[in-house]
Amino acid sequence: MYDLVIKRGNVVTEGFRYDGDLAIEGETVAALGQDLKGKREISAEGLYVLPGGIDIHTHMALPVGGTRSNDDFVTGTKAAAHGGVTAIVDFTVGAPETSLGDDLSSRLETAAPAVVDYSFHVEIVGWHDSRVREMGDVFEKGLPTFKFFTAYGDSGRRMNNGQLLEAFRAVASLGATALVHAEDDDVIHRLIEQLPRDGMSDMRNLAVTRPDDCEALAVSTIGWIAGRTGARVHVVHLSSALGMEEVLRQRKANAALSCETCPQYLLLTRDVYGRPEGYLFSASPSLKTEADNQRLWQGLALGEIDFLATDHCPFTKRQKTWQGTFPDLPYGLPGVETSRILLYSEGVRKGKLSMEDFVRVTSSAPARFMGWYPKKGTLLPGSDADIVLFDPSPEWTLLAEALHMAVDFSPYEGWKVAGRPVCTLSRGEIIMENGQVTDREGRGRFLGRSKK
Amino acid sequence: MYDLVIKRGNVVTEGFRYDGDLAIEGETVAALGQDLKGKREISAEGLYVLPGGIDIHTHMALPVGGTRSNDDFVTGTKAAAHGGVTAIVDFTVGAPETSLGDDLSSRLETAAPAVVDYSFHVEIVGWHDSRVREMGDVFEKGLPTFKFFTAYGDSGRRMNNGQLLEAFRAVASLGATALVHAEDDDVIHRLIEQLPRDGMSDMRNLAVTRPDDCEALAVSTIGWIAGRTGARVHVVHLSSALGMEEVLRQRKANAALSCETCPQYLLLTRDVYGRPEGYLFSASPSLKTEADNQRLWQGLALGEIDFLATDHCPFTKRQKTWQGTFPDLPYGLPGVETSRILLYSEGVRKGKLSMEDFVRVTSSAPARFMGWYPKKGTLLPGSDADIVLFDPSPEWTLLAEALHMAVDFSPYEGWKVAGRPVCTLSRGEIIMENGQVTDREGRGRFLGRSKK
Amino acid sequence: MYDLVIKRGNVVTEGFRYDGDLAIEGETVAALGQDLKGKREISAEGLYVLPGGIDIHTHMALPVGGTRSNDDFVTGTKAAAHGGVTAIVDFTVGAPETSLGDDLSSRLETAAPAVVDYSFHVEIVGWHDSRVREMGDVFEKGLPTFKFFTAYGDSGRRMNNGQLLEAFRAVASLGATALVHAEDDDVIHRLIEQLPRDGMSDMRNLAVTRPDDCEALAVSTIGWIAGRTGARVHVVHLSSALGMEEVLRQRKANAALSCETCPQYLLLTRDVYGRPEGYLFSASPSLKTEADNQRLWQGLALGEIDFLATDHCPFTKRQKTWQGTFPDLPYGLPGVETSRILLYSEGVRKGKLSMEDFVRVTSSAPARFMGWYPKKGTLLPGSDADIVLFDPSPEWTLLAEALHMAVDFSPYEGWKVAGRPVCTLSRGEIIMENGQVTDREGRGRFLGRSKK
Amino acid sequence: MYDLVIKRGNVVTEGFRYDGDLAIEGETVAALGQDLKGKREISAEGLYVLPGGIDIHTHMALPVGGTRSNDDFVTGTKAAAHGGVTAIVDFTVGAPETSLGDDLSSRLETAAPAVVDYSFHVEIVGWHDSRVREMGDVFEKGLPTFKFFTAYGDSGRRMNNGQLLEAFRAVASLGATALVHAEDDDVIHRLIEQLPRDGMSDMRNLAVTRPDDCEALAVSTIGWIAGRTGARVHVVHLSSALGMEEVLRQRKANAALSCETCPQYLLLTRDVYGRPEGYLFSASPSLKTEADNQRLWQGLALGEIDFLATDHCPFTKRQKTWQGTFPDLPYGLPGVETSRILLYSEGVRKGKLSMEDFVRVTSSAPARFMGWYPKKGTLLPGSDADIVLFDPSPEWTLLAEALHMAVDFSPYEGWKVAGRPVCTLSRGEIIMENGQVTDREGRGRFLGRSKK
């Protein structure tokens, strides 16, 4: 008699699939099989039983230009639970004058009330001689991933090639992984200079000044340095076909390059910037074209893109009030709640991905990336019971007001979608059921990666 | 309360692995988990719990030059059970004047007493205009694999390039797969012509006249025809590094080429032909060199070789009596019982393969090749309960007299090995336990592949 | 005061080009320049001044099935002079029972009356143990090229793979070159077997039974053996796009493979076989399609094909009398006289080749292939004065009756062409001028290649 | 009776070679041949007769940090004549505030007294919106090559990626060529920051702070932008094996990338910086290692490197006075006089290059690069009579005091060399003979390239 049995579902992981039951004892998957008995039983008839989603790219409560992204770790992780996501990886908030260790301590406090499990990538802002030592310190604490920028020179986050060469050598020497926001800052700036007078007041020029060139050239450079230093490097939020090709080219040249894309780069195009409220879509990288969308879908299906993340960074309409020029907007879009819904609806239902692919790119592959597999990212006996019951049948309409992220619009407002999570378990505990979410704030746990 | 529970083993499949229990109801895997209860329980403490082995290349009771390979389907499948093999694929016995359908009917009778499940590849000997129609007929009956030879012109089995081009077009059009014995017959014959007088009486010249050239050139030709026709083609018993490279080259040129190797090509070298009883090792392809062994191990680990088979074709010492010249010997070696033991002992224990690799090359990959996965080749709820409990700890000595194949010598006589199957289940029934094998002849079932 | 000055031409070689004069002393080019003075002067105003053509693939007086190709070395080399060709390479006539040295002696007698320079490739028909030694013997006499067949099994010329492997090792060891007629004989035979009743009496089935498959598969095999043995191998009369791709693929795999094509494979298609007199076009390889023509033109321009030859093997209408089935025809087409005219008219005039390409593929590259460069194949001071004055302007109509080959039809009968040789010099001697050809039979010299 | 005949030399060009005479009428080659008669005749017995050298990378009278490179166009071109160089390409001197057209006018004046022919690459320093138009203007005047820097940010010459992307699009659109000094400035600066205290005062740190990384990474970036824009781009003074590999990689990725190397990168290593007078070798790129030398020699022989140039930029010992830190030195080495001597002595004599290679990399290839072939770069009838008689036999010692460049040391001081130019002709005029050079200042002509 197990604590809990999920009955008669279609259990799908990356590596296996069967029709039957799944039993849970305490926080853990106890058995897969037929006719399992539980003290409590939940019917999963007609439902998929999936490993919980892992979103390795979120920005909760991120200070940006005088404001903060509007989800904190409570609202953001509750929204995650609604969206079938049971672990997130956010970022420490770096600054030139603070140490990476201090950044981590501070961020651990901020994240403490989370309702799902969480971890951080260590953001590096400002490069100086003590950074290499600091990287070693936080690596020892189980933080093996470091975030770098090639763009955002204006806010001091840009790392130049000389710094990256040094930093990546440190990454390689630790056995860590570098995450990189890859856009060439100088290309962006020159294109801004070349805009006609008043060009800054036309929202469409966000796309003009952040073209695929600026991504692909940065990927090329990053890939070269990765190959030269032997560092493992992960390109975040890949947005363009040209960037995709450059990732492949650098891999062929033996760079250990992985990459992710986000729902917005699969589903939206720069055409939205021409709408009256186009400024709500401010994001970087900018949205691209339909052809880019298609190439990224293909990359996801072929495994050229390693997994899906969201770059969840929500701002309200008020925070995004148009001040007259597009560089003044806070950049970022909400996504943690809608990511798996959209991937199922637009990907699996339309034949672009199999269910096994779906699990791979939203759970197993990110779990491996973070070093958590098979504790997370699959449903073997012994795995954490992070489980989502996903109902593929309902057809419904995405409306911001019915979602749970702390944001009053949705980039997908009014989209007809199919399928939704109806029950989410985190380590054996039901944290979302039929739209009701737990209020046990702080139940989420910090996840480090054990050193090898 | 399940019919049978295997307790506390280390369950390993190609796609997942956990420590715990595995429950069986009737012929089927019912549950994977912890603390499962059974009417009967078997302890697997300290043991691997693996999917049963699938050997897709055996020759039981094969008529060869006035004699027959000495295992029939009873002794041969009992030996298989001892070796942890729960399904074999043998061959129909073709002839120019009989139809493929008749060959199949006749072979089904011969195989009926088998104690493990079985199927056949359809051997094609003699090519004429009705063969394409006959191929369609047996394909409809669930036999999707056809065997061709590029060698053995003397016994009429050689297909020339014109015939292969036609036959492979038929294979492609059916969606079938061609298996090919790839050795260039003309190369062999010219090398025999070039032997010095009395050269035929030196057993070592078997290797001289069947060099890696003759395999690789045939693979090149086969690969070209495969690529041209779009046929899926499987190279059996790959024996040389040069052949391996040619397989890779043809794949790059878009030939849909798979391949297998056998224990003898991983473990033995042509040096054995110099021994007094070297003639006992007569086989084709001939044994090669240590460097070839190493390249094939590497190919197996990297997935370049799809799986392991045995080409099990046993003859007694008496059958192999030396008549004075090596071409007069019956060619073939016993293997179905020792294959997994040797692969574990020489491969897994020596760090060349992981346990997951072991399961992949001896079970999952052959199951997929035959279209049987996930019914066979894995251990999901719902799979056939073809299971082997494998004890990795005992260290023992291979001796022909202690084995169960109908042959009075072993190519590995006296080898120190580690590990052995201690219990074999076929569809939920224990057919071998601690060296005792079932006597339920005829319990094995014929396995067809459902058409797509 | 030079013996002879060609005045004010456009001198074109593969490596340089200028407008001006070219002076000759005796048999040799003495000076290139402006305003050179000669005892005799010829105006080349408006004309190209080119190195003489070198056709390395002709069959004069070739015994074939009870008849002989209708040009002997007198009529054939006179026709060559008309066509701007100043050296030919023909073949010895091999037989299983004669030695290569005897074949050479005999052929030297036959060729003695030639009016242009000549050499031979040594044809090997029938392989036995003494052939390797015989190859060494004729190689020592300056004959470094050997001809092999993969087709023509019916007439005993086919070499199988075992023989080729041995022969190519000898070629590699000598530093010689193998020429190969590459068509897979078994493919041809199986396709003939598959023809419907009466299929042999339909001329179009010549193409059906010798498709591009049969060429490309043979090239693949030849290429493999070349790569394995290290032999330099030259594929004669390449006829198909598929064969072209296979040559490239084998080169990438490090086979030292060169190749030639012929005018008929650039200009004619198998559609001609459907004409009432289609049997006049009997040739092997068979003519292919327009797409094949285009691919071969491209290969010639890109240097993928090394040079042009003709496979000149002329038969009269009477010799080609239709006996009822296409295999009974003598195979071969006339070409030595029209080759450069057609290449200029269809290639250079239509923008497919430059004049430098023209010289390269008809003169310099064949000269290098034979080891004669820069004595032949260019026009440096010191080179043999083998020179053609080519008038690009006249537009005229090809008619067999106005040509000089001993054949009463032309595959190009009635074609409108542009350009023609107006004067041909061989070692300083004018042998053709305005359609009048020398009658100095026997003035041609045998050309050996000095050993390296 | 020609104006001048060079008798009995070994005439060598890239495309042909013969023993004999070469005749000149006026400024032009009139005839190649035997026994040519001239009003004046020069014996070339035992000598090579070569096209004049073309050095497309010199810096005469270049203003650098308060001083000037010490050769002006008189001393520099006289030295060139001594070294067998008959045309140089220098650079305009750009500045952010001047137009490219003005830069050209001014530089034309400076160069007017030259004794050999000359042209300029148009240096671009400072990028702004009118540059694209200015590029069009000077391109119309026959200046089709533009020089960019990725390094030298301190002096304002560095172009960032955004600017290069724009500039290369202009280059592609004009059909022009960009020349690029490829070193990543940020890598250099970070390495300088990382030097220990007092590191700047150790001359050896010049090499430490300009490693092969900084070149190869810049080539990678440049190559990417070249491929993206379709611009033809030439990498100047390639100095490292890693840079060489990157050039090849970018070409494979379809970048139209050419490159040059210089004698110092073939012959000298960074070890010289450890010598007491190591500061005299200050140059950028820095000297590398013996392994780099060897890779560049190989690249030159294989044609991977397009040609040789010198980056001739001479400073006297006084100008190079050590001020205490290596960045304060003027960077540059003398080379225009010794380039062909060293290439012959170290390359041809040591079997690394053929004489044809020698002519190709010092004359024909640079001529084609500038659009001057076959007027310059070869010796056809009609070519400019820019000719060097090169005596391969004398063995002598390089000493700065015996050379003619305006510099009082040589990087090769005391080297034993073999061979030297004994006579140099520029457009038919002997401008150097047995060490005596013309004093006809201003006889050199400006060479533009005609537009296509």
Side-chain angles (χ1 to χ4, degrees), chain B residues 161 166 184 190 213 228, chain C residues 161 166 184 190 213 228:
Chain B
N161 290 347
E166 184 185 2
D184 189 290
R190 180 62 192 151
D213 284 332
R228 179 66 179 157
Chain C
N161 291 346
E166 183 186 2
D184 188 289
R190 179 63 193 151
D213 285 332
R228 179 67 179 156

Side-chain angles (χ1 to χ4, degrees), chain A residues 300-311:
Chain A
L300 207 56
L302 294 175
E304 295 168 341
I305 295 175
D306 295 81
F307 51 77
L308 192 77
T310 63
D311 198 6

Side-chain angles (χ1 to χ4, degrees), chain B residues 143-430:
Chain B
L143 281 282
T145 48
F146 297 92
K147 172 76 177 293
F148 301 95
F149 298 85
T150 63
Y152 298 130
D154 294 343
S155 64
R157 283 184 279 178
R158 174 182 180 176
M159 296 273 289
N160 71 36
N161 290 347
Q163 296 163 334
L164 286 172
L165 199 59
E166 184 185 2
F168 281 17
R169 287 199 209 278
V171 164
S173 149
L174 287 172
T177 300
L179 285 82
V180 183
H181 176 130
E183 291 189 297
D184 189 290
D185 216 31
D186 291 325
V187 170
I188 297 166
H189 279 93
R190 180 62 192 151
L191 290 170
I192 286 177
E193 282 174 25
Q194 290 183 270
L195 285 182
R197 178 189 300 264
D198 291 334
M200 307 286 266
S201 62
D202 183 342
M203 186 64 203
R204 290 171 301 181
N205 282 332
L206 171 59
V208 169
T209 57
R210 295 184 106 99
D212 52 3
D213 284 332
C214 94
E215 177 170 270
L217 175 48
V219 171
S220 170
T221 304
I222 288 304
W224 191 93
I225 303 176
R228 179 66 179 157
T229 58
R232 262 179 293 133
V233 177
H234 179 74
V235 176
V236 297
H237 51 48
L238 193 76
S239 70
S240 67
L242 202 66
M244 178 82 262
E245 296 311 324
E246 196 59 34
V247 166
L248 299 180
R249 198 163 97 169
Q250 293 299 328
R251 282 178 186 158
K252 262 197 197 153
N254 289 324
L257 222 56
S258 58
C259 65
E260 71 192 30
T261 191
C262 307
Q264 55 271 35
Y265 303 117
L266 294 169
L267 297 171
L268 301 175
T269 71
R270 65 185 178 196
D271 295 345
V272 301
Y273 298 134
R275 298 187 199 163
E277 296 210 333
Y279 56 88
L280 294 177
F281 293 84
S282 64
S284 97
S286 69
L287 301 173
K288 304 292 190 304
T289 70
E290 175 70 18
D292 292 286
N293 296 165
Q294 293 316 316
R295 182 65 188 86
L296 295 172
W297 274 115
Q298 185 190 34
L300 207 57
L302 294 176
E304 295 168 341
I305 294 175
D306 294 81
F307 51 78
L308 191 76
T310 63
D311 198 7
H312 175 81
C313 190
F315 296 99
T316 60
K317 287 184 181 179
R318 184 189 173 96
Q319 288 176 304
K320 289 217 175 191
T321 302
W322 178 250
Q323 310 284 343
T325 64
F326 64 82
D328 296 330
L329 292 163
Y331 283 15
L333 294 171
V336 74
E337 184 175 0
T338 47
S339 174
R340 291 189 119 191
I341 293 161
L342 288 162
L343 191 74
Y344 178 79
S345 191
E346 297 291 318
V348 179
R349 290 273 284 218
K350 296 192 171 167
K352 292 180 168 123
L353 298 177
S354 69
M355 275 310 290
E356 286 87 346
D357 289 335
F358 177 92
V359 174
R360 173 172 56 82
V361 302
T362 60
S363 182
S364 314
R368 272 195 301 271
F369 181 76
M370 294 306 297
W372 300 338
Y373 191 93
K375 191 165 176 56
K376 294 192 182 290
T378 187
L379 292 175
L380 289 176
S383 297
D384 280 356
D386 290 356
I387 301 172
V388 171
L389 275 56
F390 190 94
D391 184 349
S393 53
E395 311 215 337
W396 55 294
T397 299
L398 273 181
L399 296 171
E401 62 180 14
L403 296 171
H404 306 82
M405 300 176 285
V407 58
D408 50 359
F409 77 97
S410 167
Y412 313 99
E413 188 75 12
W415 284 38
K416 308 290 179 197
V417 294
R420 68 189 320 166
V422 290
C423 183
T424 303
L425 293 89
S426 166
R427 284 178 279 103
E429 177 183 352
I430 295 172

Side-chain angles (χ1 to χ4, degrees), chain C residues 50-55 77-87 116 336-341 358 362-363 386-390 420-425 431-432:
Chain C
L50 310 174
I54 297 174
D55 184 349
T77 55
K78 286 185 176 179
H82 281 287
V85 170
T86 54
V116 303
V336 76
E337 184 175 1
T338 48
S339 175
R340 292 189 117 191
I341 294 161
F358 177 92
T362 59
S363 182
D386 290 356
I387 300 174
V388 171
L389 275 56
F390 191 94
R420 68 187 322 163
V422 290
C423 183
T424 303
L425 293 88
I431 59 169
M432 190 281 289

